[in-house]
Amino acid sequence: PPNNSNKLVEISGIDLNDEEMIKLDIHIINKTSVDWKNTMLASHERRVELEKIARKYEQNTGQYIRPINLIQVERTGKDQRASGMIHAEDVKEYLIKKCAIPEDHIAIKSSEKDDIEGINLLDPACPVRYIITKQALQEGWDCPFAYILTILTNPSSQLSITQLVGRILRQPFARKTKIKDLDESYVFCYKQKAVDLVKNIKTGLESEGLGDIAGRVTLDGGDDAGSQTLPEREIKYRDKFKKFSGKIYLPKFVIQQDDSWRDVNFEMDILGNVDWGLIDLKTLKDIELSKAKEFEQELVYGFSQNKEQLIEEHDRKTKKGTLEINEVFLTRHIIDIVPNPWIAYEIGSKALQMFFKKYDKEIVSSNFVYIIEEIKKALLQERDRLSEAVFRGLIKKGKLKFFLVVEKGGALPSRIKIRSNKRLVRNDNSEVQMSLFDYVPEENINELEKAVALYLDCLLYTSPSPRDS
């Protein structure tokens, strides 16, 4: 309620917890990896662990619980998968191919696709264990079986964060199980620091209160929110680039084939010529598993007895792995790096043996997810090293060259229409100078594209007076 409201009833979060209506504490796990798949793997592992605990609970009490993992992605639209953002279909494909999750265990909830419509998620016959969404679950949706929230995006408002966390707070059957793992909730974050997420959640709870967590709804807005209300206008080439109208310059590497040249295919021409027998995994020898768990920090937050403070840190811990050691499971996660499954299996087995020489099976098992991440890092470095050697060898032999091809035919329009009120500018707020069009809408590019564009603009245009590059 607004300040100075005449409050008739006030129910605090502590009251809700005392009535066994919500899951507390909230565990926030931050992955340091730059790959979203590692965050997804960690949350998958936690869900597997919770289901094992839930099965034992059902055997002892007859009460059925099926832990569900809610996953927020950056894109869900059918035409948005190639945008460079994390798409719902990317996550679904990863779960099926890399984690061996049956397809009927995965549901997508979006404005275009609703796999959970009309489904009773509490029904023991329901197979759904993963629900992938972008924003559709922020409006008053909740399911008491939802235990894990995996945030693979960066929510743009505190309210949206509060609503997301609210999706996993409801306690099944409004009754505590008396089993700690099944009476708490879990948030895995990828693009945010755990401490920042805690701050945002705390601010959101303070401003909204858990008493009406599903009441007010504010949408983040999506990719084109508000843009349709802006007037449409036409932009054109910069004057100094008009001479390039109708032309596209395509830089490309080509490789010799008989008496002609064709485009280089990385998988076939470079990766296909890598001698995987030269893989060097010596960096794995320096990994100390006793310290590995420190890389994944888990902060435990719950309500403070001091209502003014609202929530406070209850505990800090490192996570113990629970996945069983499985060479096939490991192979699935490195086959994107080593394309031959037989060689990938052999390399994975060899890597595991390196750890078995130093540690017993229990320690290796408890660190299995971390080991997979480290093996992938080592293999990526080795793949790049060996690929570079193949690449340079082909150049030295004259079989690989760099061409600049001019394509004609007006493939690029000389004018385009946009709706935007936010122009891309440099860090000093000056306009970019080397873009083809004289106006670049900032909302049309992601952070990586923005960083590259500004770097190139500053690199190519260093004088205050306009000039051609």
Side-chain angles (χ1 to χ4, degrees), residues 436-452:
L436 180 61
F437 290 94
D438 57 15
Y439 186 104
V440 181
E442 183 176 1
E443 57 266 42
N444 286 0
I445 60 176
N446 60 39
E447 288 301 315
L448 176 60
E449 293 167 337
K450 178 181 177 181
V452 172

Side-chain angles (χ1 to χ4, degrees), residues 25 86 249 263 335 353 400 403 405 434:
D25 292 332
I86 303 172
Y249 293 82
D263 293 351
I335 199 171
Q353 290 303 317
L400 191 151
F403 285 179
V405 180
M434 302 305 294

Side-chain angles (χ1 to χ4, degrees), residues 16-33:
L16 292 175
N17 194 43
D18 290 342
E19 290 296 323
E20 304 188 358
M21 296 180 68
I22 54 178
K23 307 185 192 93
L24 287 176
D25 292 332
I26 302 172
H27 295 251
I28 300 174
I29 301 95
N30 182 44
K31 297 295 293 182
T32 59
S33 172

Side-chain angles (χ1 to χ4, degrees), residues 255-274:
I255 194 166
Q256 187 174 16
Q257 183 173 347
D258 299 327
D259 296 329
S260 61
W261 298 85
R262 63 169 174 80
D263 293 351
V264 171
N265 182 294
F266 176 74
E267 285 74 18
M268 179 174 65
D269 300 319
I270 307 298
L271 210 54
N273 288 310
V274 167

Side-chain angles (χ1 to χ4, degrees), residues 71-74 76 108-110 131-137:
I71 306 160
Q72 190 194 38
V73 295
E74 295 175 313
T76 56
I108 294 178
K109 169 72 173 176
S110 69
I131 299 176
I132 307 172
T133 186
K134 179 184 175 183
Q135 294 175 339
L137 295 183

Side-chain angles (χ1 to χ4, degrees), residues 186 231 256 292 370 372 377 381 398 414 447-448:
Y186 309 86
Q256 187 174 16
Y370 173 72
I372 291 175
K377 290 179 185 177
Q381 292 177 353
S414 59
E447 288 301 315
L448 176 60

Side-chain angles (χ1 to χ4, degrees), residues 153-172:
T153 181
N154 200 4
S156 59
S157 72
Q158 292 168 347
L159 178 58
S160 65
I161 293 176
T162 310
Q163 292 170 333
L164 281 169
V165 174
R167 303 311 103 208
I168 62 172
L169 284 183
R170 185 176 166 192
Q171 179 72 33

